[in-house]
Amino acid sequence: MASRIVVKNLPKHLDERRFRTHFSTKGEVTDVKLIFTARGKFRRFGYIGYRSEEEAQNAQTYFNNSFIDTSKIEVQIARPHGDATLPRAWSVYTEGTSLYNKTKSMKNRKGEQEKEKLEKEKTQRAIRTLYGELLEGNQEDPRFKEFLQVMAPRAKNRTWTNDDYGNWQTDELAAIRGAVTARREQEDDETEQDRNDGEDGTDEDKTVQEDAHTPEALSDMDWLRMHMNSKLDTDDVEDNVEPEGTAEQKEPVAKPQSKTSDPTAAIASTIAQIHETGRLFVRNLPYMATEDDLRTTFEPFGPLSEVHMPISKDTKRPKGFAYIAYLLPEHAVKAYKALDNKVFLGRLLHVLPGKEKPELRERDDSLGGFKSSVKKERDAKRKAMAGSDFNWNSLFLSADAVADSISERLNISKADLLSADSDGNPA
């Protein structure tokens, strides 16, 4: 039995603080999660995590079929992510359901229709532009006038005068299509050039353009009518959506995914990294979790060599993640497969492969930091030269000290050494 509960049919205006306060009367709450759509709309259900399974069971018995404001809530024990006993999902927000695929296909179809409509408008605009240019440049050409008479609509011409259209050659039709296509490309290039020129304009030009498009005579009621229909159409599907089961729902996160990404290859890569290091990086831990709790959870898969929980220097509390090291990498792989996305003290564990443990650096207490490789080499050279008698430097001695040292070595007086007229001057 899990230590998490799922609460359905919550009030629309409920926030996370009040949600936590309401359910904390039956135990120590370790996790609170309200589920929202990608657009930020509350789906009216959420999850509560307790420290123990007994607290979760007591909360489920006590709060089930009770009321929060005027909403009668339904409380159930949350089943793990990917549980085989879950009912079939049907929500419009769950990927893979028929309603989700239907909504997605409708959006794709609508986008294709808009694209076809845009292409058709471009073609028609190119034909009209090309027709205008031909009409302007061939006003006096008799053959062109005959062509216009033949191509005139049936309402403006005799039916038998347009019979020659079926006798057109293939190369003539291809020439017309080529002219229309070339004109479309030319208009697209001109539009792109105009757009680039507009982006390079000054702020004053942009301000003038914005003022020109601002509807000054638009009243408040007209503005409301203009935006009301689109809002109602968007909410028609979303208002009748219920949570499809008691499995853990993951909040939508906008992540760019490659079209060729393979989940099996990603899992195989993760397992290969764990085989190399034998370490696991575990996050989403509750702050009250201890190393003993982690050992109790991870030791059934194999003997542990290290359990490390970093502590924050400011709050003196755990940071919410830990490193687990096994003696054998195979045991780490078993733990990863069994505990990833599983409930631990009311929260969902997120297990990732851990990197190799970094080597400890020698501390330099005099500088209050750590020694780098350059400092280590310099200190080693100084130790090697410490026993030599000729490692002193006269630049760091005063002139008087140098004179005393030389006079002592040469067994002469300091006055004879420094006097230029002395007979005992060594110079």
Side-chain angles (χ1 to χ4, degrees):
M1 184 183 297
S3 59
R4 288 172 70 86
I5 59 175
V6 57
V7 187
K8 305 178 183 179
N9 198 31
L10 293 171
K12 291 184 178 180
H13 57 272
L14 188 69
D15 58 359
E16 189 173 296
R17 180 189 59 80
R18 189 182 174 198
F19 190 39
R20 177 188 290 271
T21 303
H22 185 82
F23 285 89
S24 61
T25 57
K26 287 300 176 181
E28 185 179 2
V29 176
T30 59
D31 188 26
V32 176
K33 187 176 183 181
L34 297 175
I35 305 301
F36 294 85
T37 65
R39 297 183 178 181
K41 183 179 179 181
F42 183 35
R43 295 182 63 183
R44 300 188 63 185
F45 74 100
Y47 296 92
I48 294 289
Y50 288 97
R51 184 177 180 86
S52 62
E53 297 178 357
E54 292 78 9
E55 293 178 351
Q57 184 62 45
N58 295 336
Q60 190 270 336
T61 305
Y62 181 81
F63 290 109
N64 189 28
N65 293 326
S66 62
F67 285 84
I68 297 180
D69 296 339
T70 58
S71 299
K72 186 177 181 180
I73 62 175
E74 180 183 356
V75 183
Q76 299 176 2
I77 298 296
R79 281 173 278 186
H81 179 70
D83 192 354
T85 61
L86 287 172
R88 179 179 177 271
W90 57 269
S91 173
V92 69
Y93 303 109
T94 303
E95 186 175 356
T97 61
S98 57
L99 188 57
Y100 174 87
N101 295 333
K102 182 179 179 181
T103 306
K104 188 174 181 180
S105 62
M106 291 176 60
K107 292 181 179 179
N108 294 339
R109 193 181 308 114
K110 186 176 180 180
E112 292 176 358
Q113 292 176 355
E114 292 291 338
K115 186 176 180 180
E116 292 178 358
K117 183 179 179 181
L118 182 61
E119 293 292 332
K120 186 177 180 180
E121 291 178 354
K122 288 183 178 180
T123 303
Q124 293 177 352
R125 186 166 57 250
I127 292 174
R128 288 194 296 267
T129 305
L130 187 60
Y131 177 78
E133 293 177 355
L134 291 174
L135 186 63
E136 182 179 358
N138 299 275
Q139 289 284 348
E140 306 300 332
D141 191 354
R143 297 183 61 186
F144 184 72
K145 291 181 179 181
E146 181 183 356
F147 171 77
L148 292 180
Q149 184 179 2
V150 171
M151 298 303 297
R154 290 182 179 270
K156 297 182 179 181
N157 201 354
R158 300 181 180 88
T159 56
W160 58 83
T161 58
N162 201 24
D163 293 340
D164 293 339
Y165 176 75
N167 298 325
W168 281 19
Q169 300 298 325
T170 306
D171 54 350
E172 295 176 347
L173 296 175
I176 294 176
R177 295 192 186 97
V180 173
T181 303
R183 185 61 190 178
R184 276 192 54 183
E185 294 178 355
Q186 181 180 358
E187 289 187 355
D188 293 340
D189 295 340
E190 292 176 356
T191 304
E192 185 68 23
Q193 183 66 27
D194 294 341
R195 186 183 297 112
N196 296 335
D197 295 341
E199 292 177 356
D200 297 336
T202 60
D203 295 338
E204 296 179 358
D205 296 337
K206 294 181 181 179
T207 305
V208 172
Q209 293 176 2
E210 292 175 356
D211 295 341
H213 291 285
T214 303
E216 298 179 355
L218 189 65
S219 63
D220 295 341
M221 188 59 65
D222 294 336
W223 184 91
L224 184 60
R225 290 195 190 97
M226 184 174 61
H227 290 77
M228 187 178 295
N229 293 333
S230 60
K231 179 63 176 176
L232 292 176
D233 295 340
T234 304
D235 294 343
D236 284 341
V237 181
E238 298 180 355
D239 287 340
N240 297 323
V241 174
E242 295 279 339
E244 65 276 9
T246 58
E248 293 295 335
Q249 302 291 325
K250 293 187 178 181
E251 295 182 1
V253 179
K255 293 184 178 180
Q257 296 182 353
S258 176
K259 295 183 179 180
T260 59
S261 59
D262 187 3
T264 306
I267 295 176
S269 176
T270 301
I271 294 177
Q273 295 179 24
I274 298 175
H275 270 296
E276 293 178 359
T277 61
R279 300 181 80 223
L280 299 176
F281 174 68
V282 185
R283 64 184 183 185
N284 199 31
L285 298 175
Y287 291 127
M288 72 281 298
T290 62
E291 291 188 3
D292 294 336
D293 296 331
L294 291 175
R295 288 186 180 275
T296 303
T297 304
F298 285 88
E299 274 185 341
F301 301 96
L304 302 177
S305 61
E306 182 187 15
V307 176
H308 176 57
M309 293 184 64
I311 304 297
S312 175
K313 296 181 181 179
D314 299 331
T315 61
K316 306 301 180 183
R317 298 175 60 188
K319 294 183 177 181
F321 61 90
Y323 295 92
I324 307 294
Y326 282 88
L327 292 177
L328 298 178
E330 292 78 9
H331 298 159
V333 174
K334 292 181 181 179
Y336 165 75
K337 293 181 179 180
L339 297 178
D340 189 26
N341 280 329
K342 294 301 184 291
V343 178
F344 172 74
L345 298 181
R347 297 179 70 92
L348 290 178
L349 286 180
H350 191 190
V351 184
L352 298 171
K355 298 181 180 180
E356 287 285 353
K357 186 177 180 180
E359 298 181 359
L360 294 177
R361 293 182 294 174
E362 184 180 357
R363 187 172 183 84
D364 189 358
D365 295 330
S366 61
L367 299 178
F370 295 92
K371 291 183 178 180
S372 63
S373 58
V374 178
K375 291 183 178 180
K376 289 181 180 180
E377 294 177 0
R378 186 177 61 190
D379 292 345
K381 185 181 294 185
R382 287 179 178 178
K383 288 181 181 179
M385 297 177 61
S388 176
D389 294 336
F390 302 99
N391 61 350
W392 56 272
N393 193 338
S394 61
L395 296 177
F396 295 97
L397 300 176
S398 64
D400 187 63
V402 173
D404 290 339
S405 177
I406 295 176
S407 62
E408 183 179 355
R409 288 174 178 270
L410 299 178
N411 293 324
I412 59 176
S413 64
K414 185 178 179 181
D416 295 338
L417 178 65
L418 299 177
S419 176
D421 299 333
S422 176
D423 297 334
N425 192 336

